[in-house]
Amino acid sequence: DDKLTHDIAAIARMDKLYNLTAVKNAEVRFRWQVLCLRAGYEAIIPAVVEFITSQGRMKFVRPLYRELTKLEAGKPVALSTFEEFQGTYHPVAKKM
């Protein structure tokens, strides 16, 4: 199991201190969002949805959808978001 166990309070403090959720660099944004999702930090879900619907790179989209579906609160969001935006993704990405 590669699931990381992080203290959600520590994640929230890091975000408040460094404002990582607002970072626009795709690589940093992706890594931060994966870390948050694996930690169970549900406050990141809206930012993840914004990211996966603003670009269609499978490098970012597929792993973020997978991490979203692992969260109880994230799974319905992932399914509804994919249903709504699948037409904007590359054909290969749609076959996730």
Side-chain angles (χ1 to χ4, degrees), residues 27-91:
E27 295 290 341
V28 173
R29 193 175 185 183
F30 169 71
R31 284 174 177 75
W32 172 247
Q33 290 179 358
V34 168
L35 178 75
C36 289
L37 291 170
R38 288 182 179 173
Y41 185 57
E42 293 179 1
I44 198 70
I45 292 173
V48 172
V49 169
E50 193 277 324
F51 187 36
I52 61 179
T53 59
S54 67
Q55 55 79 45
R57 289 199 62 199
M58 202 163 75
K59 171 183 178 179
F60 303 126
V61 172
R62 178 180 277 176
L64 285 170
Y65 270 114
R66 286 184 174 159
E67 292 299 330
L68 259 179
T69 61
K70 293 177 185 177
L71 288 179
E72 187 176 331
K75 188 169 187 172
V77 174
L79 294 172
S80 65
T81 302
F82 184 76
E83 182 68 31
E84 182 178 348
F85 288 91
Q86 67 179 327
T88 65
Y89 297 136
H90 187 279

Side-chain angles (χ1 to χ4, degrees), residues 1 5 8 12 17 23-24 27 41 53 56-57 60 63 79 94:
D1 187 349
T5 55
I8 291 175
L17 181 62
V23 169
K24 295 300 178 192
E27 295 290 341
Y41 185 57
T53 59
R57 289 199 62 199
F60 303 126
L79 294 172
K94 282 195 262 190

